[in-house]
């Protein structure tokens, strides 16, 4: 039987692994504030540095700067910032000489190798700048999950070009990582904030005690004052304290990141900034979202982990200079693996999710940060996905429907990547599914940080091909390509076979 373009419906579906690999680089380090063990330990360090003569301070600082200046952008400013952070912690005035402050700050600074353990779970989207490219080429930006000491995950980036002849060119990446400035949200909307607190089950009595002291729009500083007043007014302070911490935790989970405009993509690191991210930011699924008025926003869904709770987050930016990080809320904002569709459907935002950890769902919302309802899309059907299924990034729009890449977990927790085709106007309707995975780990790809895994957080279509970056065993990232027509034909065939 022939397909509309004359090809056999059961022609071989060829997936080509491209000769491109991205591996972790343990030389890529960032700086972190180093707390040696509380205020008393910090005071001891400050006191010891103060016993040094001016000449000793100058000589020691020169040695530190000589060792670390080339490894970081403006390491002296990092020392100064960490010194000031420490002085705030211990309640001392900032009255030391410039060099003594910097030397003290160097004792309160540590390097962190962001990729030392693994570099994996990539997502790829068209770059926001397509200028100065040859005809038929496309520039992309790729996010990856980087894991270092203590299994703390951050988000890193690479950029590159898909050439007209289907080659992949990855831009060189240096070892430098740029410092990102964190800016708290300037204002909070009280009705929305109250709604978010309800989602995380903060008791109404505690919420009222704090929020009734605030105007409809308030700042983080005003919230802190209200928390202090509520604590002083409460009859049972100990029972109230966990709720007050939850209120502060939620406020600090919403912030802005200011990225250096001159930084290359590979220099940008989104490292955990708040307590709810203390164990990492995981698996960013990027999407280039085009709204009904033509405005373009880059969104990314990810999860923050504090060691106990998983918190879905939404990263959003227009120009990759200011990046908003906000919580995703609502009764169905649960678990991992939320992936936003690249445009509205029927006037609504749409999201693919896995709210129960096992099955695929479709959700709709009028507010991108709130998701209240979900409709079951698919349960595990095939042996290679009997444990669970999920998405591998945001759906891709094609002439035949929404192409949704999936992951399935089978025997021995082996992860494979599959595909589904959804109706273009009603993505709750499945047009077709592959009964076998597109990609599973080859014998050489099975060993790694997490064995037997092939996984992706997002692919890209260009020049009639699907370009699929994927990680193998949480160790390295590769890129595969497959003819879009061949894949769509196979998905359409799966539908006709079901009808027979």
């Amino acid at each position: 039987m022939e397909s509309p373009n004359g090809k056999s419906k059961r022609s071989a579906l060829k997936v080509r692994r491209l000769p491109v690999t991205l591996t972790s680089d343990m030389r890529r380090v960032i700086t972190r504030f180093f707390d040696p063990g509380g205020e008393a330990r910090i005071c001891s360090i400050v006191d010891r540095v103060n016993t040094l003569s001016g000449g000793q301070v100058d000589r020691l600082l020169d040695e530190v700067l000589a060792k670390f200046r080339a490894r970081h952008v403006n390491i002296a400013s990092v020392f100064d910032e960490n010194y000031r952070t420490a002085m705030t912690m211990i309640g001392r005035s900032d009255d030391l000489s410039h060099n003594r402050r910097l030397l003290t700050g160097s004792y309160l600074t540590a390097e962190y190798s962001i990729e030392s353990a693994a570099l994996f779970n990539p997502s790829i989207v068209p770059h926001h700048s397509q200028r100065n490219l040859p005809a038929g080429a496309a520039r992309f930006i790729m996010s990856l999950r980087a894991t270092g000491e203590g299994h703390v995950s951050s988000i890193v980036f690479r950029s590159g070009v898909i050439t007209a002849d289907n080659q992949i060119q990855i831009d060189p990446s240096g070892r430098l990582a740029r410092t990102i400035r964190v800016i708290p949200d300037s204002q909070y909307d009280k009705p929305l904030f109250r709604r978010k607190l309800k989602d995380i089950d903060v008791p109404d009595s505690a919420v009222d005690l704090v929020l009734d002291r605030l105007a409809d729009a308030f700042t983080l500083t005003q919230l802190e004052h209200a928390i202090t007043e509520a604590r002083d007014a409460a009859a049972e302070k100990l029972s109230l304290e966990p709720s007050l911490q939850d209120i502060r935790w939620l406020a600090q989970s919403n912030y802005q990141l200011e990225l250096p405009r001159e930084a290359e993509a590979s220099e940008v690191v989104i490292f955990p900034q708040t307590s709810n991210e203390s164990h990492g930011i995981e698996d960013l699924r990027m999407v280039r979202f085009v709204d009904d008025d033509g405005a373009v926003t880059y969104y990314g869904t990810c999860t923050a982990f504090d060691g106990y709770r998983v918190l879905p987050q939404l990263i959003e930016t227009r120009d990759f200079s200011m990046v908003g990080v906000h919580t995703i809320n609502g009764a169905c904002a649960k678990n991992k693996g939320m992936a936003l569709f690249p445009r509205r459907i029927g006037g609504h935002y749409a999201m693919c999710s896995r709210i129960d950890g096992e099955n695929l769902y479709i959700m709709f919302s009028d507010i991108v940060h709130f998701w209240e309802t979900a409709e079951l899309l698919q349960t595990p059907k095939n042996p290679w996905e009997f444990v669970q299924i999920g998405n591998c990034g945001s759906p891709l729009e094609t002439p035949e429907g929404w192409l949704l890449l999936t992951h399935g977990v089978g025997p021995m927790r082996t992860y494979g990547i599959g595909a589904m085709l959804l109706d273009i106007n009603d993505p709750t309707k499945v047009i077709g599914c592959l009964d076998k995975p597109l990609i599973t780990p080859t014998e050489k790809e099975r060993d790694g940080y997490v064995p037997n895994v092939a996984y992706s957080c997002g692919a890209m279509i260009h020049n009639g091909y699907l370009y699929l970056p994927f990680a193998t065993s949480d160790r390295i990232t590769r890129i595969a390509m497959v003819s879009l027509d061949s894949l769509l034909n196979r998905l359409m065939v799966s539908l006709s076979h079901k009808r027979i």
Side-chain angles (χ1 to χ4, degrees), residues 306-318:
D306 66 1
Y308 303 97
R309 293 176 291 191
V310 171
L311 181 69
Q313 289 183 312
L314 188 71
I315 292 175
E316 50 194 292
T317 184
R318 291 284 181 92

Side-chain angles (χ1 to χ4, degrees), residues 168-189:
I168 299 286
Q169 298 174 352
I170 303 292
D171 295 331
S173 61
R175 69 170 300 155
L176 291 177
R178 295 275 184 166
T179 301
I180 295 176
R181 195 160 72 97
V182 180
I183 306 169
D185 273 1
S186 57
Q187 282 195 328
Y188 300 88
D189 179 89

Side-chain angles (χ1 to χ4, degrees), residues 7 12-18 124-126 136-138 140 162-168 396-399 403 405 438 458-469 479-488:
K7 295 180 181 179
L13 187 58
K14 295 181 180 179
V15 178
R16 177 186 167 199
R17 280 168 162 80
L18 300 175
I124 185 173
V125 292
F140 63 83
I162 304 173
T163 66
D165 59 351
N166 305 319
Q167 302 298 310
I168 299 286
L396 301 165
E397 189 166 5
T398 77
L403 175 61
L405 296 172
L438 272 175
M460 174 175 163
I461 294 172
H462 181 64
N463 279 348
Y465 285 91
L466 174 72
Y467 291 87
L468 173 57
I479 300 178
M481 63 181 290
V482 61
S483 162
L484 183 61
D485 281 347
S486 296
L487 178 54
L488 293 177

Side-chain angles (χ1 to χ4, degrees), residues 176-419:
L176 291 177
R178 295 275 184 166
T179 301
I180 295 176
R181 195 160 72 97
V182 180
I183 306 169
D185 273 1
S186 57
Q187 282 195 328
Y188 300 88
D189 179 89
K190 185 159 70 172
L192 288 179
F193 196 74
R194 184 184 295 274
R195 184 175 171 182
K196 293 179 182 182
L197 291 171
K198 185 176 181 64
D199 287 339
I200 61 174
D201 298 323
V202 179
D204 290 341
S205 57
V207 173
D208 292 341
L209 194 60
V210 174
L211 296 192
D212 286 353
R213 303 171 187 275
L214 294 165
D216 285 344
F218 58 89
T219 67
L220 183 60
T221 299
Q222 291 168 335
L223 176 64
E224 289 289 352
H225 287 315
I227 289 174
T228 299
E229 292 176 0
R231 182 183 291 111
D232 292 340
E236 298 181 12
K237 292 181 173 55
L238 290 180
S239 61
L240 179 67
E241 193 60 32
S243 296
L244 297 180
Q245 294 301 325
D246 283 341
I247 293 172
R248 178 183 288 112
W249 172 81
L250 178 64
Q252 293 174 344
S253 298
N254 295 268
Y255 57 89
Q256 304 280 331
L257 296 173
E258 184 177 16
L259 309 184
R261 288 187 176 273
E262 73 280 7
E264 299 292 335
S266 64
E267 296 176 338
V268 174
V269 180
I270 300 180
F271 193 78
Q273 302 290 341
T274 64
S275 59
N276 70 288
E277 300 169 347
S278 59
H279 280 61
I281 307 171
E282 301 179 356
D283 299 347
L284 181 67
R285 285 161 161 80
M286 289 196 298
V287 63
R288 181 181 181 271
F289 183 91
V290 182
D291 215 331
D292 290 345
D293 61 359
V296 174
T297 303
Y298 286 83
Y299 287 111
T301 52
C302 59
T303 49
F305 184 52
D306 66 1
Y308 303 97
R309 293 176 291 191
V310 171
L311 181 69
Q313 289 183 312
L314 188 71
I315 292 175
E316 50 194 292
T317 184
R318 291 284 181 92
D319 57 4
F320 285 88
S321 59
M322 290 295 295
V323 176
V325 182
H326 298 100
T327 54
I328 303 177
N329 310 279
C332 291
K334 298 177 180 179
N335 214 279
K336 298 183 176 183
M338 303 176 75
L340 190 68
F341 280 67
R343 63 170 174 84
R344 294 178 190 256
I345 300 175
H348 308 288
Y349 292 102
M351 185 94 79
C352 182
S353 66
R354 194 189 65 203
I355 62 176
D356 59 6
E358 182 180 4
N359 305 294
L360 274 171
Y361 292 80
I362 295 291
M363 307 189 297
F364 295 96
S365 176
D366 293 330
I367 304 175
V368 74
H369 300 99
F370 284 90
W371 302 86
E372 300 292 353
T373 60
E375 182 173 339
L376 182 64
L377 176 68
Q378 184 83 317
T379 61
K381 300 288 187 184
N382 301 297
W384 65 277
E385 60 186 13
F386 275 178
V387 175
Q388 69 186 47
I389 56 173
N391 69 68
C392 275
S394 292
L396 301 165
E397 189 166 5
T398 77
E400 303 293 346
W402 294 106
L403 175 61
L404 176 64
L405 296 172
T406 65
H407 69 262
V409 182
M412 293 297 293
R413 203 183 63 159
T414 297
Y415 277 69
I417 299 174

